[in-house]
Amino acid sequence: MDVPIKYGFGRKCMAYLVHAFTASGLIAGFLAVLAINQKDWRLAMIYLVVALVIDGIDGTFARLVKVKEVLPKIDGKTIDYVVDFVNYAVVPTYFLYMAGMFPVSLAIPCTSLILLVSAIYYGKEGMVSDDFCFIGFPVLWNLTAFYLYFVLDFSLAGNVFVVFILAVLHFIPIKIPYPSQSTRWKTLTIIMTILGIIIYAAILYFYPQNNNILTILAILVLLYFAVLSLVETFRKPV
């Protein structure tokens, strides 16, 4: 019988700090809500990008500190799910609603659809495959809000169409790679992820000025992950 390893005060403090770092994404999300209330769309999205970065690197810290072993009675995955649902579903849905991205008559139906499919997606089994891919379009309404508001120039009807398609894709068995743990084209994927964050930050920095080069680059990043998803979906895992 294995004897549990006892960790010292310092290791436990480090583990708690990692959990606190994960949970700090909620603070970023709350600040985004305050910015939305002030109709400061750029600041709101900056906070959502900060939350995205936190979510992208907290797992690395958790593995380095071995939080599961040090604090076995605290489920970091549950904390992560709570933070992600707020920042990837609730706050960006509020952003889309308050920014007037839908026709008035369809604003509540569209936002209701986003929240309902997001909750159901989080509840289904097999949300992530063994090769670290999301099955179906993951709850990434933060990036959807970013692209619809800051990059693409669709009509209100076009925004409704995008929301409907993405809502349906939640339940289509396509494979969307998790960037930091992608097994195919791993180095290129990490580079494209970092490049994407830099491009998003630059777009927000120059907003409300439109920079065609940055817009094209942001679309290319999106296309890269679309192609990668198609490859993962229709080819056997490496």
Side-chain angles (χ1 to χ4, degrees), residues 34-208:
L34 297 182
I36 292 169
N37 288 339
Q38 297 297 321
K39 300 188 185 301
D40 192 337
W41 313 118
R42 178 173 67 172
L43 183 59
M45 191 54 64
I46 287 174
Y47 284 128
L48 286 178
V49 171
V50 169
L52 182 67
V53 172
I54 291 171
D55 182 53
I57 63 178
D58 65 343
T60 301
F61 294 151
R63 287 185 289 273
L64 287 173
V65 178
K66 298 181 179 180
V67 291
K68 288 184 179 180
E69 298 175 17
V70 179
L71 298 174
K73 293 186 178 181
I74 297 181
D75 189 349
K77 184 176 290 187
T78 300
I79 298 173
D80 194 57
Y81 281 167
V82 170
V83 175
D84 287 355
F85 191 81
V86 170
N87 290 332
Y88 288 21
V90 177
V91 177
T93 301
Y94 186 53
F95 181 105
L96 290 168
Y97 177 84
M98 293 296 289
M101 299 299 289
F102 308 120
V104 174
S105 61
L106 294 177
I108 293 297
C110 283
T111 52
S112 298
L113 178 63
I114 293 172
L115 295 173
L116 288 174
V117 298
S118 297
I120 294 171
Y121 183 84
Y122 265 83
K124 71 176 186 177
E125 292 185 0
M127 185 173 68
V128 180
S129 65
D130 293 335
D131 53 344
F132 300 105
C133 290
F134 292 101
I135 304 302
F137 176 74
V139 180
L140 285 176
W141 296 103
N142 50 347
L143 289 180
T144 302
F146 174 83
Y147 272 93
L148 289 181
Y149 191 88
F150 295 97
V151 179
L152 305 173
D153 189 22
F154 293 153
S155 64
L156 297 183
N159 294 338
V160 173
F161 180 75
V162 169
V163 166
F164 177 78
I165 293 299
L166 293 180
V168 171
L169 287 177
H170 274 309
F171 309 103
I172 303 298
I174 57 175
K175 298 178 72 173
I176 311 292
Y178 193 91
S180 65
Q181 299 189 53
S182 176
T183 56
R184 195 186 305 280
W185 308 344
K186 185 172 184 177
T187 301
L188 181 58
T189 299
I190 292 175
I191 292 173
M192 292 299 292
T193 301
I194 295 172
L195 180 62
I197 292 173
I198 293 172
I199 292 169
Y200 302 156
I203 289 174
L204 293 173
Y205 177 80
F206 289 109
Y207 179 82

Side-chain angles (χ1 to χ4, degrees), residues 6-18 65 70-72:
K6 293 184 179 180
Y7 292 95
F9 178 76
R11 288 294 299 274
K12 289 184 178 181
C13 283
M14 290 296 295
Y16 274 114
L17 285 174
V18 170
V65 178
V70 179
L71 298 174

